[in-house]
Amino acid sequence: MPVLHGVNLSPFVRKVRFALAEKGITVDQEPVVPFGVSDEFKKISPLGKIPVYTDGDLALPDSSVIIDYLEHVHPEPALYPADPAERGRALFYEEYGDTKLTNALSTVFFQRYVRKNFFNEEADEEVVRHAIEEEIPQVLDYLSAQLGESDYLVGNRFGIADIAMTSSFVNARLGGWSIDADRWPTVAAYVDRVFSRPAIKPLVEGDLAQ
Ligand SMILES: N[C@@H](CCC(=O)N[C@@H](CS)C(=O)NCC(=O)O)C(=O)O
């Protein structure tokens, strides 16, 4: 059976878990923590990061690479649009979710959850304030504008863009932050919509209960 290497708290591991769940693929999981990884792990993850997906001799690092691979070996249900323009937009949304959005939301998670639970340290609340007041609003304004009245980001159909744009909201919730639904009602409803999907709901509930 294929193995997903990485812990559930990683937003990038969660992206792959969302994709696997939506496609109905079962894998084993090896809960690798991404701090001080072994030389053995670096053989399958040259950048020393999680997730990695292994299947027999195949070892694929990087959530985007892994989900693209899964799409080719298990095409249904499709997570990438067939239309070239829509596919391009979806891939950019994935990039935005993996970088700007995850950086903004992970700051709250890292300061308030990881430092406390893994390093026995206090959060730097000035860093948290900057993320909440400056960085996160920019991201939510962008997401709100891109969504418009649609249920999902591209072609009004759930896919890779939605996976990448929502995974990190779980981490922010673990850091004690949630969306101000009065200020960003469509984004709040969108994240709830994704997290209520039958395949995804148990994963989110499990991660929030950690
Ligand atoms: N682009 C990569 C990013 C993976 C990533 O940054 N993972 C983090 C954990 S959430 C990690 O392993 N960090 C350890 C490090 O950077 O050394 C992906 O999509 O998989």
Side-chain angles (χ1 to χ4, degrees):
M1 187 180 291
V3 182
L4 177 63
H5 304 254
V7 285
N8 288 347
L9 285 175
S10 160
F12 301 102
V13 171
R14 190 175 304 109
K15 274 179 67 189
V16 177
R17 289 165 59 228
F18 281 6
L20 288 166
E22 287 284 338
K23 285 182 176 291
I25 305 168
T26 306
V27 299
D28 285 332
Q29 196 167 343
E30 188 65 41
V32 177
V33 177
F35 305 125
V37 294
S38 67
D39 289 343
E40 198 59 26
F41 184 69
K42 283 187 186 155
K43 288 181 187 163
I44 59 169
S45 180
L47 299 177
K49 298 185 183 206
I50 57 170
V52 176
Y53 187 87
T54 54
D55 191 0
D57 290 340
L58 176 70
L60 290 175
D62 196 287
S63 63
S64 303
V65 172
I66 297 165
I67 300 172
D68 178 73
Y69 168 77
L70 294 174
E71 182 81 353
H72 285 83
V73 290
H74 298 274
E76 297 298 332
L79 294 176
Y80 296 78
D83 174 77
E86 288 194 343
R87 184 182 162 90
R89 287 179 49 229
L91 292 181
F92 177 71
Y93 288 139
E94 180 182 22
E95 173 65 14
Y96 186 96
D98 285 358
T99 56
K100 193 165 172 85
L101 179 143
T102 288
N103 289 344
L105 294 178
S106 292
T107 298
V108 181
F109 169 69
F110 179 79
Q111 290 295 332
R112 288 191 177 161
Y113 188 94
V114 176
R115 288 188 72 171
K116 180 175 163 205
N117 291 296
F118 293 95
F119 302 115
N120 202 21
E121 293 174 356
E122 293 295 313
D124 183 334
E125 285 298 331
E126 178 51 28
V127 172
V128 172
R129 187 203 60 75
H130 187 266
I132 290 175
E133 293 180 11
E134 308 289 337
E135 296 167 38
I136 295 176
Q138 281 180 34
V139 166
L140 298 184
D141 286 346
Y142 175 72
L143 195 43
S144 181
Q146 298 307 303
L147 273 169
E149 300 298 314
S150 301
D151 282 354
Y152 296 110
L153 275 165
V154 182
N156 215 11
R157 185 177 167 189
F158 175 82
I160 185 64
D162 309 299
I163 289 174
M165 283 289 201
T166 57
S167 170
S168 286
F169 282 95
V170 176
N171 294 54
R173 280 193 201 174
L174 286 169
W177 175 92
S178 55
I179 305 171
D180 177 349
D182 291 330
R183 186 168 170 192
W184 292 284
T186 53
V187 179
Y190 165 69
V191 174
D192 282 348
R193 185 175 307 117
V194 173
F195 288 177
S196 299
R197 291 178 65 82
I200 287 177
K201 191 168 191 248
L203 303 181
V204 171
E205 286 177 351
D207 290 356
L208 288 174
Q210 287 193 47

